[in-house]
Amino acid sequence: MKLVRWRTSDGTTKVGVHEDEYLVELPFATMAEVLQHKVADIRRAVEEAVSSGRRVDSAEAELLAPVDGRTEVWGAGVTYQLSRSARAEESGFEEIYHHVYEADRPELFFKSAAWRVLTDGDPGGLRPDCDDSVCEPELALVLNRHAEIVGALVCNDLTARGIEAVNPIYLPQAKLFPGGCVLSTAIAPWWSIDTPEDLLITMAVYRGPELVFSGETRTSAMRRRYDELVQWLFRGEQFPDGVVLSTGTGIVPPLGEGLRPGDRVIVTIDQVGSLSNVMTDDRDMFEGLPRWL
């Protein structure tokens, strides 16, 4: 049972629950409206809809990116030991990344507005002015306006690694570009996830039929706690329609082995979901995406 957005055959957008092969509509017009409510109220609405709502065959609907309205996507960086070491190796600015890994204040950055978020099956973006880009598979927390964790998503935080490596001040250019933020279609409710502190994350990159990179990590390898990241994010910001916070990556391909156009990336997180996207540096591919705009 997961929370989703979908579009009907007549173009109407709905918000509801995806259960088995069925969709059940919730009494909210948008996902942003859902995230304006407390977790207890959201859970109650979900349980009531599942028990008595009208079911629609999911084959009749198109699943959309799981965020809308004023919801933003933010990211946390250098939350895994491997990420700290890799960033230092890539850039030569070893002291900066070691400091932020150990510091009380985490690295937090804006990643995407809702209207730019893509989802499973959409193309993943590569900056044409960077020859070393990587996918960063991450667990993303879905937070309501009250700083409560509503659920979790799979995030592919695509990054122009070669740009950030030149100078960490270039981070916004390395993180914000068409197709740079991809989220799984379905929000796994937090109350449905067993041991969220120790979830398996896997990634595979295929170039044609050939597997060119694979890796795995567990969320238990994170230095930061979920509540710690959430507290810092909300310390100086307001999110009236909630926010998605991607929690950092513990899987980093070796230097010089970045993505190429046509590569297919598959990211899976236990109990949360999966993502599959084919990479492109063709800006025209993103015209009209996301499809719900």
Side-chain angles (χ1 to χ4, degrees):
M1 178 180 66
K2 295 182 178 179
L3 304 179
V4 294
R5 298 174 60 248
W6 71 88
R7 186 169 63 183
T8 64
S9 57
D10 64 2
T12 304
T13 300
K14 303 284 187 180
V15 174
V17 179
H18 192 186
E19 186 178 36
D20 298 324
E21 69 271 27
Y22 296 106
L23 297 167
V24 184
E25 188 174 351
L26 287 171
F28 304 108
T30 64
M31 193 64 76
E33 184 182 349
V34 173
L35 298 180
Q36 293 168 10
H37 291 75
K38 292 271 195 176
V39 167
D41 297 328
I42 297 170
R43 184 170 183 175
R44 187 179 306 111
V46 167
E47 292 171 349
E48 290 176 354
V50 170
S51 65
S52 60
R54 184 176 68 87
R55 284 166 166 70
V56 177
D57 187 343
S58 61
E60 301 176 4
E62 176 188 15
L63 294 181
L64 305 173
V67 289
D68 54 21
R70 296 174 294 175
T71 303
E72 298 174 354
V73 181
W74 283 62
V78 200
T79 56
Y80 289 77
Q81 171 70 39
L82 179 62
S83 179
R84 180 187 78 165
S85 302
R87 294 289 96 85
E89 177 189 5
E90 294 157 10
S91 67
F93 296 94
E94 181 175 353
E95 183 177 351
I96 291 176
Y97 293 105
H98 284 203
H99 173 76
V100 76
Y101 182 80
E102 300 291 347
D104 289 337
R105 182 186 293 272
E107 179 193 12
L108 298 172
F109 54 89
F110 177 77
K111 179 64 180 180
S112 182
W115 67 269
R116 300 189 74 171
V117 173
L118 300 181
T119 193
D120 184 56
D122 288 332
L126 301 175
R127 284 192 65 125
D129 60 348
C130 179
D131 59 6
D132 188 8
S133 293
V134 290
C135 40
E136 298 189 0
E138 307 182 7
L139 176 77
L141 306 176
V142 181
L143 310 169
N144 62 16
R145 68 178 299 168
H146 309 286
E148 297 175 315
I149 302 177
V150 175
L153 290 162
V154 182
C155 178
N156 189 344
D157 171 22
L158 285 151
T159 302
R161 176 168 64 179
I163 291 177
E164 183 182 1
V166 173
N167 194 311
I169 292 176
Y170 294 155
L171 180 69
Q173 296 174 72
K175 291 291 187 179
L176 281 75
F177 49 87
C181 181
V182 187
L183 298 176
S184 53
T185 55
I187 300 171
W190 201 243
W191 61 84
S192 71
I193 300 175
D194 296 327
T195 60
E197 305 83 8
D198 188 32
L199 299 175
L200 176 65
I201 303 175
T202 64
M203 181 178 74
V205 180
Y206 290 89
R207 190 161 295 150
E210 181 185 1
L211 176 66
V212 295
F213 177 81
S214 64
E216 67 177 48
T217 189
R218 303 193 74 91
T219 55
S220 56
M222 286 178 59
R223 179 185 180 274
R224 308 276 183 176
R225 302 186 315 274
Y226 298 135
D227 62 340
E228 176 188 359
L229 293 173
V230 172
Q231 184 244 340
W232 277 103
L233 180 63
F234 276 79
R235 180 171 292 195
E237 289 286 350
Q238 295 177 326
F239 300 101
D241 287 352
V243 60
V244 174
L245 175 59
S246 201
T247 58
T249 189
I251 304 174
V252 182
L255 280 174
E257 296 184 22
L259 296 165
R260 300 179 188 174
D263 286 355
R264 180 165 60 96
V265 177
I266 301 173
V267 180
T268 302
I269 301 180
D270 184 36
Q271 300 184 66
V272 178
S274 63
L275 270 176
S276 177
N277 306 95
V278 175
M279 300 298 112
T280 181
D281 60 2
D282 182 356
R283 296 296 183 91
D284 292 339
M285 288 288 292
F286 300 101
E287 291 296 325
L289 291 174
R291 291 178 296 274
W292 54 271
L293 289 177

